Amino acid sequence: MQNLCSVGKRVPKLDAVDKATGRVQYIQDLKVPGMLYGKILYSKYAHAKIVKIDTSKARELPGVMAVLTGDDIPDIRMGVYKDNRPLKKEKVCSFRDEVAAVAAISPDIAEAALNRIEVTYEALPAIFDPEAAMQEGAPLIHEAHKTNILKMPWKLHYGDVEAAKKEAAYTVEDRFTTTWVTHCCMGTSGAIAEFDPANNLTIHTNTQIPSLAQKDFLDALKAMGISDRRVRVVKPCIGGGFGSKLDTYAYEYVAILLAFHTRRPVKIEFDRTEEFIATSTRQPTITHISQGCDQNGKLLFRDISMILDNGAYTSWGATTPSVMMMPISTLYRVPNVRYEARCVYTNNTYAQAMRGYGNPQATYAIESTIDMLAEAAGIDPVEFRRINANQSGDVSTQGLRITTCGLTECMQAVQEKLQWDQPKKPGEGIGMASLIHVGGGARVYKSDGCGTMIKMDDFGKIDLFTGATDMGQGSDTVVAQIVAEELGLEVDDIHVIHSDTDVCPWDVGSHASRTTFIAGNAALGAARKLKARILEMGAKLLESPLEKLSLQGRHIVHKDDPEKKMAIGKVLRKAHFSHGGQMLMAEHFYDPANENMGKDFRGNMSMTYTFGTHGVRVKVDEETGKVNILQYVAAHDVGKAINPLLLEGQVYGGVMMGVGYALTEQVISDKGQNMNPNFRDYKILTAKDVVPIDAPVLETYDEDGPFGAKGIGEPGCVPTAPAIANAIYDAVGVRINELPITPEKVLAAIREKKGLDPCGQEIGSDDADACIIEE
């Protein structure tokens, strides 16, 4: 193993002190001279015609500078399906629909103006159940579409599933559902839009996709009749993303439209309630799954059909089946696979990308039924998984090429730390679930690349311009470690700039756990170009063969004679201040050799894949149904841990997000209306709820990764729910197929197992008739 100085070290985040001391600026902190404040009026109905909007009283209010409705704006289209407009016209399809907007000299005046807008609606029949929305005669959300089923044919079929079903010695099947959960970023959404006199746009917005957002906004300007202008996207410090900022939102376009109409900068900033109701969720799913194995426990087939509640409009949530295909086809060796997913319009809020991008929903069903199948076959669940574990060098039925795989080692680590085979106390249970996720990019667009530029000064200090977005995960620090390692510098020598499309190169965005791998390789490529030039200059100055020199400790050093060395800064100054002098700059664009999926959804979407296994020990209170997590072990194959400190942070955060997904969190929707738009009623976990987490790191060193690394941003929350569900079953013998697994559901299942109704009464008794359970 290479002797490393910066890579592998527990370096705190570069912006940690600034964040802790309040020096960084979030969108909430930004002000622009002459700035106005924008507010948005939302629908009062889930589905209704807009008969009339009277804005006259709002316009009369002193301090109001503009009032816009859908009739006042051009035909700007948003989202993957281009079925959404910033301000709705003619009808609304959900409670979160934007029907009017105001710009005023203060937030209070803008809010008062909203209250003066009179909207006349004609209610339409609405539908909130995706299965009902698929039925003939169901109300159509978008009449022009002629059906509520999106024309996205998510299907794959490899092998012969029907023949495998006949061959299987053991088969299990079941139905699993998941509900709406949301990202709960600490930093709420917001944007400031500003035009210069030539109609060039600058927008400050906390986005994960600055380069793609830039293109979206250019398209908007074109629709507004402003072609051939510039758009500059500036990112303030982002207070969390988790996929929520992977698309452009109505509020950003509304800010642009208001700024254009008023010719002044306009800021829109969400409060916490608005963040809950007007941003998007993880998509709810209904999954039917069957799996079968032979007499020896070897998997023979996996057959899954899934319905996704798309909500009223189409964002990236509708494309999550593309990622679900990865665990469905490749989590464990399974030769025969069939999968079909349908995304369905309803009058609910629409879904977005969220950490794991469909993988948590699919893995919940897969790993729950893996335990069921192991039980049916009479094989220990760990041994069952080991029999079917992926191995390095495998090529799955979908064409995913597994370069390195530490899955078996992850299982072993969890088994040992949980003391799997030891006796358990009454009410205690242990469970396990594994994962596969992209760890080397994910080719969704034509490019999966990222650019880096490096500028070196005369003293060996570096300004590094990356297209990657650090939204709190610490990618700036990881990139700095990689460059410092390659150039023999200290991390403190590297200044990372990622915040401005005017100065930073293109990147497809921070998503799919790709930044360490992709941006890391881009930075490494640029650093290697600089390294070659520095060594070339050093060879002349030290009169040594090039191959005898290395960079370490801020010096060029002779490998055989460490005393023969020269400070890198001195070399750079000699290069700069000589006749025909030069400064050192380099750029590199890394676009990996992964593949877009073909029409049969076959293709190696990622250069490498991350594996992991989670195990959990729980205690279930049979009197209340409450689940207490006593121990949690999350083992991951990370290739190489560039920064173990940040890696652990990603895993801890991911696990806690997964625990919330499994046990407590849900957006409660009553006929399309969010009934709990706050942290308390949403039941987000807090610092007091943190469970004991152990995060073993398994290093397999992937040849394609920067210094062997794989991506690890999302995996921490992928197998959490099935691991907990399996542990609950082990503890009390009930399986909950519906997230979140609340105490009420657990208690009702325990009582049903005992032949009682949910209230604990004998079924058929007089008292049982009065039993009402409300969660």
Side-chain angles (χ1 to χ4, degrees), residues 220-231:
L221 295 193
K222 187 176 180 180
M224 292 162 63
I226 315 170
S227 298
D228 197 27
R229 297 292 91 188
R230 289 178 57 84
V231 170

Side-chain angles (χ1 to χ4, degrees), residues 43-108:
S43 172
K44 290 185 176 179
Y45 289 84
H47 200 197
K49 288 183 180 177
I50 300 174
V51 178
K52 180 183 177 183
I53 304 179
D54 184 350
T55 61
S56 58
K57 293 180 182 176
R59 295 178 190 276
E60 292 170 355
L61 191 66
V64 171
M65 307 304 290
V67 181
L68 297 178
T69 71
D71 291 326
D72 302 317
I73 68 170
D75 189 22
I76 297 172
R77 297 282 172 166
M78 307 181 300
V80 173
Y81 232 46
K82 302 301 180 189
D83 56 4
N84 197 0
R85 304 178 82 242
L87 294 172
K88 308 315 185 266
K89 189 177 180 180
E90 297 177 353
K91 82 165 194 173
V92 291
C93 297
S94 74
F95 278 104
R96 65 178 285 189
D97 275 22
E98 302 83 0
V99 295
V102 171
I105 59 174
S106 78
D108 290 342

Side-chain angles (χ1 to χ4, degrees), residues 633-710:
V633 183
H636 294 94
D637 159 22
V638 303
K640 169 66 182 176
I642 301 290
N643 186 329
L645 180 68
L646 302 190
L647 190 155
E648 290 167 2
Q650 288 293 90
V651 172
Y652 296 156
V655 167
M656 289 310 299
M657 183 176 269
V659 171
Y661 187 49
L663 296 179
T664 65
E665 296 181 25
Q666 61 177 324
V667 172
I668 298 173
S669 180
D670 182 11
K671 296 181 179 179
Q673 190 163 17
N674 186 326
M675 305 303 291
N676 57 338
N678 59 76
F679 284 149
R680 182 194 61 192
D681 296 322
Y682 176 78
K683 296 183 179 177
I684 188 173
L685 300 180
T686 69
K688 291 174 63 178
D689 302 308
V690 172
V691 301
I693 301 171
D694 194 354
V697 171
L698 285 301
E699 294 188 324
T700 52
Y701 191 84
D702 202 275
E703 289 291 340
D704 292 313
F707 293 97
K710 302 180 182 183

Side-chain angles (χ1 to χ4, degrees), residues 243-380:
S244 66
K245 299 167 176 67
L246 199 58
D247 205 350
T248 45
Y249 276 103
Y251 74 84
E252 294 170 304
Y253 296 94
V254 170
I256 291 169
L257 289 161
L258 289 171
F260 185 69
H261 276 75
T262 60
R263 306 308 304 177
R264 290 174 62 173
V266 173
K267 179 178 187 178
I268 293 180
E269 178 186 328
F270 281 4
D271 60 22
R272 182 57 62 187
T273 299
E274 201 170 12
E275 184 76 8
F276 264 99
I277 67 170
T279 60
S280 296
T281 65
R282 194 191 294 282
Q283 48 291 135
T285 55
I286 302 168
T287 302
H288 290 86
I289 179 171
S290 63
Q291 298 196 75
C293 67
D294 66 14
Q295 195 70 37
N296 299 314
K298 190 173 181 181
L299 277 172
L300 293 180
F301 76 90
R302 183 174 290 155
D303 193 4
I304 297 180
S305 64
M306 190 178 287
I307 298 169
L308 284 76
D309 188 339
N310 190 62
Y313 302 98
T314 307
S315 184
W316 287 108
T319 68
T320 55
S322 64
V323 173
M324 292 172 178
M325 290 177 179
M326 173 182 55
I328 288 169
S329 71
T330 311
L331 181 54
Y332 308 115
R333 290 169 161 173
V334 53
N336 303 289
V337 178
R338 182 165 58 194
Y339 172 57
E340 178 184 16
R342 287 167 289 180
C343 304
V344 184
Y345 280 125
T346 65
N347 292 113
N348 294 314
T349 188
Y350 68 88
Q352 238 279 14
M354 189 170 172
R355 198 177 197 171
Y357 209 86
N359 201 342
Q361 297 98 311
T363 300
Y364 174 45
I366 293 169
E367 280 288 4
S368 294
T369 48
I370 284 287
D371 256 34
M372 293 164 63
L373 193 55
E375 183 181 34
I379 301 173
D380 179 84

Side-chain angles (χ1 to χ4, degrees), residues 33 35 37 44 160 231 233 250 288 300 341-342 397 405 419 427 434 527 532 597 607 616 631 645 654 661 688 736:
M35 188 175 79
Y37 297 86
K44 290 185 176 179
D160 190 337
V231 170
V233 178
H288 290 86
L300 293 180
R342 287 167 289 180
T397 54
C405 177
Q419 298 182 303
S434 295
M597 290 190 291
M607 294 295 288
V616 58
Q631 183 184 6
L645 180 68
Y661 187 49
K688 291 174 63 178
I736 310 301

